[in-house]
């Protein structure tokens, strides 16, 4: 434990690591304000009688509206929602002019006859029977309605926050081994009693501890920000209520049973953590095979960002593949560390993706760990 604490201290004592971590925390708070309170709008009514709220006032008003309809969602409840909060109206450019939490909920979850995601949005004229909608037919259980805007914000915030954490891990771990090489302290370490055994295990453990610690601190901060401002209620609600984005992927949704928001985030957080841990292992490998910190940093950034570039090339049809190879390629990309940060719900619901992720992670981590140990023990600088 003493060696691990010393290695963690060595990593955290570097000025660039302290500054980078401060930037990550500040970035999370700033992004939260941009996509959360500063973006909130609530409009009640229509025409000249419409009342507009913004920021924290909008959040408070939306909470009051949602409290009126909290409970099991029924056709009668949806109808009363439309009567109280009105159907969404659209300006000439397609922007919603009377947006509030309630009418956003029943519009984006397909509970009206309107069209909100087409090139020309169409205002709804009536609500639809719940049983005839995607939400009513696919959940398999009664849908409980409450105010879950905070979890919607957290879903967006965590995607960006996880990316920031990934970049921080790359910066922090780039020097674990390479700094020993550049400072010529490696020769002394290898001559000690435990230089070729405990020292390398301590460095590996320190990297994992740092990764888990940063993840815990940053994730806790994001959850607290969203919970304190929006409330912690609604964790047991159907995860499809998170903006209704599941409606765009009916093919996989048909085979998915009821998923709560709480279960969604637990799996989402675990997958993101697994991606960061894989990135940490690769960074330790990159540091072990690099003479300079900068070289390890570049290798880490390439490993982290390359899947995005490959996906862009694939989407632009620069890469021709057969259907089976294409499926394998997309699965490979989706299971990479950077895509573990994104809120793609199918990643947390299909067993095949979890199995594929495990195989891919093992295929990367095991060779990286073996080369890292071999390189460190046999260093001849």
């Amino acid at each position: 434990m003493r060696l691990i604490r010393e290695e963690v201290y060595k990593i955290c004592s570097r000025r660039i690591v302290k500054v980078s971590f401060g930037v990550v925390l500040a970035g999370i708070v700033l992004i939260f304000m941009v996509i959360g309170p500063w973006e909130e709008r609530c409009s009640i009514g229509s025409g000249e009688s419409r009342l507009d709220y913004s920021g924290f006032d909008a959040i408070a008003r939306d909470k009051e509206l949602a409290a009126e309809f909290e409970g099991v969602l029924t056709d009668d409840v949806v109808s009363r929602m439309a009567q109280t909060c009105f159907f969404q109206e659209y300006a000439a450019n397609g922007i919603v002019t009377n947006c509030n939490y309630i009418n956003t909920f029943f519009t984006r979850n397909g509970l009206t006859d309107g069209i909100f995601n087409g090139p020309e949005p169409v205002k709804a004229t009536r609500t639809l029977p719940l049983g005839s909608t995607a939400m009513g037919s696919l959940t398999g259980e009664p849908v409980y309605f409450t105010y879950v805007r905070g979890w919607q914000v957290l879903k967006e915030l965590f995607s960006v926050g996880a990316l920031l954490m990934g970049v921080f891990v790359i910066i922090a771990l780039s020097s674990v081994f390479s700094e020993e090489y550049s400072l010529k302290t490696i020769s002394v370490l290898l001559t000690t009693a435990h230089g070729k055994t405990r020292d390398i295990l301590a460095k590996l453990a320190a990297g994992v501890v740092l990764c888990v610690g940063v993840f815990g601190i940053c994730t806790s901060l994001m959850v607290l920000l969203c919970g304190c401002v929006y409330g912690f209620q609604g964790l047991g609600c159907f995860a499809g209520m998170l903006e209704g984005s599941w409606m765009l992927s009916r093919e996989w949704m048909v085979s998915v049973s009821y998923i709560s928001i709480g279960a969604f985030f637990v799996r989402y957080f675990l997958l993101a953590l697994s991606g960061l841990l894989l990135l940490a292992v690769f960074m330790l490998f990159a540091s072990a095979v690099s003479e300079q910190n900068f070289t390890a940093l570049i290798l880490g950034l390439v490993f982290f960002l390359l899947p995005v570039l490959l996906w862009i090339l694939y989407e632009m049809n620069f890469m021709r593949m057969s259907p089976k190879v294409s499926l394998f390629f997309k699965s490979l990309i989706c299971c990479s560390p950077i895509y573990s940060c994104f809120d793609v719900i199918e990643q947390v619901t299909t067993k095949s993706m979890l199995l594929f992720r495990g195989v891919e992670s093992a295929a990367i981590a095991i060779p990286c760990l073996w080369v890292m140990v071999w390189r460190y023990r046999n260093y001849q600088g």
Side-chain angles (χ1 to χ4, degrees), residues 273-288:
L273 178 59
S274 70
L276 286 178
L277 287 173
L278 179 59
L279 178 62
V281 170
F282 181 86
M283 280 310 303
L284 291 171
F285 154 78
S287 183

Side-chain angles (χ1 to χ4, degrees), residues 41-53 85-91 95-100 103:
R41 298 291 183 273
C42 176
S43 297
I44 307 298
S46 181
E48 296 182 357
S49 62
R50 188 180 72 198
L51 298 176
D52 296 320
Y53 304 86
C85 301
F86 299 89
F87 293 113
Q88 290 190 340
E89 300 175 352
Y90 304 94
I95 300 297
V96 181
T97 59
N98 64 332
C99 177
N100 57 63
N103 63 22

Side-chain angles (χ1 to χ4, degrees), residues 330-344:
K330 288 191 288 186
S331 299
L332 194 69
I333 294 299
C334 286
C335 291
S336 62
I338 191 168
Y339 277 94
S340 301
C341 304
F342 299 149
D343 56 351
V344 185

Side-chain angles (χ1 to χ4, degrees), residues 361-379:
S361 298
I364 295 173
I366 293 174
C368 284
L369 290 172
W370 186 87
V371 172
M372 177 188 72
V373 174
W374 178 87
R375 165 68 171 169
Y376 185 75
R377 288 179 174 178
N378 297 277
Y379 182 75

Side-chain angles (χ1 to χ4, degrees), residues 19 75 102 124 181 228 247-248 265 291 353 370:
V19 173
D75 293 340
I102 302 297
Y181 303 154
C228 291
M247 291 176 59
L248 305 179
F265 276 111
E291 296 286 340
M353 288 296 285
W370 186 87

Side-chain angles (χ1 to χ4, degrees), residues 8-230:
V8 172
Y9 177 78
K10 283 167 61 177
I11 296 171
C12 297
S13 62
R14 297 174 63 219
R15 179 176 298 178
I16 189 173
V17 173
K18 295 177 181 177
V19 173
S20 298
F21 189 58
V23 170
V24 169
L25 296 180
I28 287 173
V29 175
L30 178 60
I31 293 167
F32 167 72
M33 294 302 297
V34 170
I35 68 175
W38 291 348
E39 185 71 15
E40 296 297 337
R41 298 291 183 273
C42 176
S43 297
I44 307 298
S46 181
E48 296 182 357
S49 62
R50 188 180 72 198
L51 298 176
D52 296 320
Y53 304 86
S54 62
F56 291 97
D57 291 335
I59 296 172
R61 189 69 182 102
D62 276 334
K63 284 183 178 180
E64 293 174 4
L65 290 172
E68 296 180 23
F69 304 101
E70 183 169 347
V72 176
L73 201 64
T74 63
D75 293 340
D76 178 64
V77 171
V78 176
S79 178
R80 288 192 295 110
M81 284 180 173
Q83 294 173 6
T84 303
C85 301
F86 299 89
F87 293 113
Q88 290 190 340
E89 300 175 352
Y90 304 94
N93 58 2
I95 300 297
V96 181
T97 59
N98 64 332
C99 177
N100 57 63
Y101 178 76
I102 302 297
N103 63 22
T104 298
F105 167 78
F106 62 65
T107 299
R108 289 188 173 273
N109 284 285
L111 305 183
T112 71
D113 62 349
I115 300 175
F116 73 92
N117 58 352
E120 295 184 4
V122 177
K123 179 182 177 180
T125 58
R126 63 185 178 89
T127 59
L128 300 176
L130 194 60
S132 67
T133 64
M135 171 176 278
S137 61
L138 295 180
T139 59
E141 294 187 16
V143 177
Y144 188 89
F145 173 81
T146 189
Y147 186 75
V148 297
R149 173 60 182 160
W151 305 121
Q152 296 171 351
V153 173
L154 178 62
K155 184 164 71 78
E156 300 175 28
L157 177 63
F158 187 78
S159 295
V160 183
L163 289 176
L164 294 177
M165 286 187 275
V167 174
F168 173 78
V169 167
I170 292 173
I171 294 172
L173 300 184
S174 62
S175 64
V176 173
F177 291 100
S178 58
E179 190 172 58
E180 306 286 5
Y181 303 154
S182 61
L183 296 178
K184 306 301 181 182
T185 56
I186 179 66
S187 300
V188 177
L189 290 173
L190 291 177
T191 58
T192 60
H194 306 294
K196 292 187 177 182
T197 53
R198 292 185 184 177
D199 187 61
I200 193 169
L201 292 177
K203 292 181 182 297
L204 176 61
V208 172
V209 168
L210 179 76
C211 184
V212 174
V214 168
F215 180 86
I217 293 171
C218 293
T219 302
S220 298
L221 174 62
M222 288 185 274
V223 172
L224 287 173
L225 284 173
C226 295
C228 291
V229 173
Y230 292 94

